[in-house]
Amino acid sequence: MAILLDETSRVVVQGITGREGSFHALRNRAYGTQVVAGMTPGKGGQDVEGIPVFDTVAAAVAGTGADVSLIFVPPRFAQDAIYEAADAGVRLIVCITEGIPVHEMLKAYNYLRAKGVGLVGPNCPGIISPGKANVGIMPPQIFREGTVGLVSRSGTLTYQIANELTARGIGQSTAVGIGGDPIVGSSFIDILSRFQDDPQTELVVMVGEIGGSEEEMAAAFIAEHMTKPVVAYIAGFTAPPGKQMGHAGAIISGSAGTAQAKKEALETRGIRVGVNPTEVAEIAAGIVG
Amino acid sequence: MDLYEFEGKALLTRLGILTPRGSFCRDASEARTVADALGYPCVVKSQVLTGGRGKAGGIAFVEGPYQLPAEVQRILELPINGQLPAGVLVEQRLPAGRELYAAVAFDASRACPVLLFSPRGGVEVEAGAASLLRVPVGVDQLPAATPAWVTARVSAGLDAAERASLSPALLEAIGRLLANLLSAYCEHDLELLEINPLIAYGDGLTATDAKVTVDDDAFFRQPGLVLSERPPLGELETRARQASLQFVDLEGEIGLMANGAGLNLSLLDAVAAFGSSPANFLDTGGGASTAKAYEGLRILQDRGRRDPRVRAHLVMLSLAITRAREATQGIAQAVREHPDDPVPTFAVVHGTGADEGRRILEEVGIKVAPDIRTAVEWAATAERKA
């Protein structure tokens, strides 16, 4: 099973003729993902090592049956790219682009919700369902197929924890990087509820960080709606308030968004929070190992 | 990007919202001209991009011209959280009035703007004592968010006692102001537009402070908001920005660098958990090239050379990332070219290809730890070379 992606997913890459787009499209295909099309306006009819390029997403969908779009276009074109993918009829959009203005994301988010099209990102590393498909920039070699669902605001911490799990012989059902922006297409709750419904997933690791209140809301959701165990990690206990730490969304404003508040919200509901990535992997291994 | 108070008030003035009469001044003689025209008593307010200004002594009430030059000079020379002001805002001193709170922010979980209001503004909101009324405005509701619509929502959200304390005319003025703020919030790509306190004189409203944050990613299309130059970045911040690195100075004893935002945060926590302190945050981002990693370590080296508190550099690399091998080569190059660095460099490498990464680093004398805990322990107990 896995969530969001499996071996039947058919991917169109928007921005496939750019440096990052072509590099990762080919890497995703090499993993076994069905990368069936690329899209760059004005380059229709060309191909990227055998992947046909179309002028529009609609043409790519009509020509290849693509149902997932992967977006690598620069930030100024990203909002239009998201609208175009949604209008072309894909069911899921994965947006890697960093630096999209927040007000544009607000509009895009609401447009997609109304249409029932899924979005992961922006400013995210993508999604991998190990053994089935890899859509984005995650390094597939550190993952293996298994029963742990991973959801994270941070790419590198996802890799860190996946690596530690895999080293203990514990595989993953799907790993989802939801992204580090203030407004993201899929929240922790969106992904947690999919893992709850996924028969392959037995346990979920949730990786949060300073900023916003999504972790607190996820804590309430887990307590009310999840029967599967969840292990959490929160980064940034010692981050100073008022400074943006890497991600656009990783900022403590006033007394809101601290790691301590997130940890307490989780722990008061009985959700275990590891003090570092290694301990998170150990706790998870102790439950499903 | 945050706006200075006087820039935020200039925006409010353009929206037709009343603010105290006054002007931004760069020195005491400009301030004298402005104050004399306004009349006394007046207020002198430090223009800094940080909070805690009042407590730090950055606001002065001036009774007459005899007090003015000394107060302006004192405030111009008073750093607040390490920041010197860009100048002072000299304003007429208004009589005390009822303090309210009004703002627009993002509601991240609903993905829409949210209006915030409290009939008890000022320090009560700052201290978290007053609860804020939240009126989320869905993106599809924005065209319908007229003053009357906002007034009705605010009125319905207040409890009976709060509503009774505001006259119908004042409630209408609040609705009008919030609707006005909301359209400016969307038009100008703002992340926060906050007035605290908002003072009610009878049924009229005056904004005596303004806090405005513009989305960095949309700043390129909002050129009219900034009226004064920003404080120059430090040399290290400038170099980091030029190399597309994120650098935050934290003034502790271990210089840190990692290839990923979350990884960096995790490393800060590991250093603090050991009882030591980070000298900085430095994120090279996921796809760190040789050049970026090289410049990152050069920044740590130059910072460490000047600050005798720094006892070690600690680099953490997740080699799962594309081109991580290039990053190890950049770090090795910086160490090889600067054998006179008084601060020892430690590293921890994770993921596929860790053996090769370790070899590249160890060849130039970097000690590579088997795990983060060990790396932090080594760094926290290391000594600078004399």
Side-chain angles (χ1 to χ4, degrees), chain A residues 36-209:
Chain A
V36 295
M39 179 281 201
T40 300
K43 299 204 174 169
Q46 300 182 9
D47 74 293
V48 173
E49 301 203 10
I51 302 171
V53 179
F54 295 83
D55 281 324
T56 64
V57 183
V61 169
T64 65
D67 66 337
V68 175
S69 160
L70 173 60
I71 295 180
F72 277 106
V73 306
R76 289 190 197 190
F77 307 112
Q79 186 191 26
D80 281 344
I82 291 171
Y83 284 136
E84 185 181 346
D87 290 343
V90 302
R91 67 173 172 83
L92 175 67
I93 299 168
V94 179
C95 185
I96 308 300
T97 307
E98 179 178 0
I100 304 177
V102 186
H103 282 271
E104 290 182 15
M105 270 317 298
L106 285 184
K107 294 191 188 110
Y109 176 97
N110 286 284
Y111 186 77
L112 297 184
R113 284 273 148 154
K115 272 185 109 71
V117 178
L119 171 67
V120 170
N123 189 13
C124 83
I127 309 169
I128 183 169
S129 294
K132 302 183 181 77
N134 183 20
V135 172
I137 62 172
M138 289 212 236
Q141 68 276 14
I142 57 171
F143 295 88
R144 65 175 255 188
E145 196 165 358
T147 59
V148 172
L150 251 172
V151 57
S152 173
R153 281 169 71 185
S154 154
T156 36
L157 287 175
T158 309
Y159 314 154
Q160 180 94 5
I161 290 171
N163 202 40
E164 300 243 16
L165 288 170
T166 300
R168 287 171 175 78
I170 294 168
Q172 304 86 35
S173 52
T174 301
V176 184
I178 59 173
D181 275 2
I183 305 285
V184 291
S186 293
S187 65
F188 279 125
I189 291 175
D190 294 327
I191 303 302
L192 288 168
S193 79
R194 286 181 184 269
F195 279 133
Q196 171 65 24
D197 295 339
D198 171 40
Q200 185 183 334
T201 303
E202 291 175 14
L203 173 145
V204 182
V205 171
M206 175 176 113
V207 182
E209 63 187 25

